[in-house]
Amino acid sequence: MTDSLKNLKLVNKDAFQHDLIEWFSNEQRDLPWRKDKNPYKVWVSEIMLQQTRVDTVIPYFNRFIEQFPTINDLADAEEEKVLKAWEGLGYYSRVRNLQSAVKEVKEKYGGKVPDTKEEISTLKGVGPYTAGAILSIAYGVPEPAVDGNVMRVISRILSIWEDIAKPSTRKTFETAIYELISHENPSYFNQALMELGALICTPTSPSCLLCPVREHCHAFHEGVENELPVKTKAKKQRQVQLASVVIREDEKTVIHKRSSSGLLANLWEFPTVEVTSPFMFDKSYVEALLMEEIGIEVKLGQAVGKIEHVFSHLKWDIQVFEGELKAPIKEDENLKVVSPEEIVEYPFPVPHQKIMKQYYHEE
DNA sequence: AACACGTGGGC
DNA sequence: TGCCCAAGTGT
């Protein structure tokens, strides 16, 4: 690691901080979570922004804060409502952890978000990046907030050739930021690095001629900005075959709640079972699975269509069937018969929103 | 350390 | 189309 940071001492730290913060002061985007430094709002925004683009987050953030304006509002909310507010954002454990952590802040910290690295890091869903981001932005504490942007920008500034896909590499960048961070304005320093990564120092074809810190950039001087950062590529998604059934009963349909752990936890869907591809269209086999796993007696009708959905780590291939009940449903916490007006109250993952849109219409 | 965990946009 | 990516964390 010492060798990977060999250029650190060559940076004119004061000039770098000044040029970076000056640029951010003038060019930062007007974003809803930048209106004040309310630690709760900063927290919510940082959780939403994990692995998620700014443009995607903006409307979710505005609705979320309108619906849950304070820590107490979120702590006291029904989980179903919270999940519905997150519907479509993905990585749903983020919001489960957020609500759990907010309850802890309410009970253990009197409703005040902790302002030390040690305490804030114990909260569920708050890892090293989010801890540093909240501490620096909301409280002005000079802690690093190393995300993908920061690794990309700093790998170019300091010409660091470590693989940023490796978990251990983050420490190299934290060490660099501890050395480089402005103690005058850690909030702007951290945000400026991320903003620079988003607007100028982009993954492909960075706009070096517009960059406020190009004269401090080792990669620019060497002409290797397009070779950095080094990042090994992810492996391909695993294929999963599913069968879903849309059941029409009068003006209603049947929905089922997913497991409380794992993929899309606690979200609702049309009754769905995993099938091995040879049996994709074997109706009696799918009917048996629906009975065993969900407890519904269904007569499958025709296959009405197919939905494909790609996750980060797997690919769903859903065969959609029509079906009717052979026996009445016994509703419980995880199984409901709902009307079109009611179904919109339940949080659905995107693949099943696609089914709703294409194969489930009222009338 | 490696993998689970979502989604939509860009090229 | 397919692949990469975007303000990561938990296990």
Side-chain angles (χ1 to χ4, degrees), chain A residues 272-332:
Chain A
T272 298
V273 292
E274 183 171 347
V275 294
T276 47
S277 45
F279 301 111
M280 194 80 151
F281 293 95
D282 185 334
K283 291 185 192 173
S284 57
Y285 175 66
V286 174
E287 286 169 358
L289 287 175
L290 286 165
M291 182 64 213
E292 286 169 30
E293 296 177 16
I294 303 181
I296 53 176
E297 264 188 85
V298 185
K299 169 147 183 61
L300 288 184
Q302 66 178 98
V304 291
K306 185 174 68 168
I307 294 289
E308 292 179 351
H309 188 79
V310 180
F311 298 87
S312 43
H313 59 303
L314 48 84
K315 181 170 184 293
W316 272 6
D317 198 350
I318 311 177
Q319 187 58 55
V320 182
F321 291 91
E322 292 180 331
E324 57 187 57
L325 291 176
K326 291 198 291 191
I329 289 242
K330 28 183 172 37
E331 293 188 56
D332 60 27

Side-chain angles (χ1 to χ4, degrees), chain A residues 32-33 36-46 61 65 69:
Chain A
W33 46 88
D36 58 59
K37 297 191 291 188
N38 180 319
Y40 167 66
K41 294 188 195 173
V42 172
W43 185 5
V44 170
S45 73
E46 290 303 338
F61 177 83
I65 293 299

Side-chain angles (χ1 to χ4, degrees), chain A residues 90-138:
Chain A
Y91 287 140
Y92 298 93
S93 67
R94 288 184 294 175
V95 75
R96 246 194 324 173
N97 290 335
L98 175 62
Q99 193 183 22
S100 158
V102 153
K103 287 175 195 266
E104 189 181 344
V105 169
K106 178 186 175 186
E107 289 156 19
K108 188 170 170 187
Y109 297 99
K112 182 186 184 299
V113 179
D115 60 0
T116 66
K117 180 95 168 177
E118 294 70 35
E119 287 179 317
I120 203 169
S121 298
T122 67
L123 298 171
K124 288 194 200 79
V126 179
Y129 163 75
T130 305
I134 297 173
L135 290 173
S136 61
I137 296 171

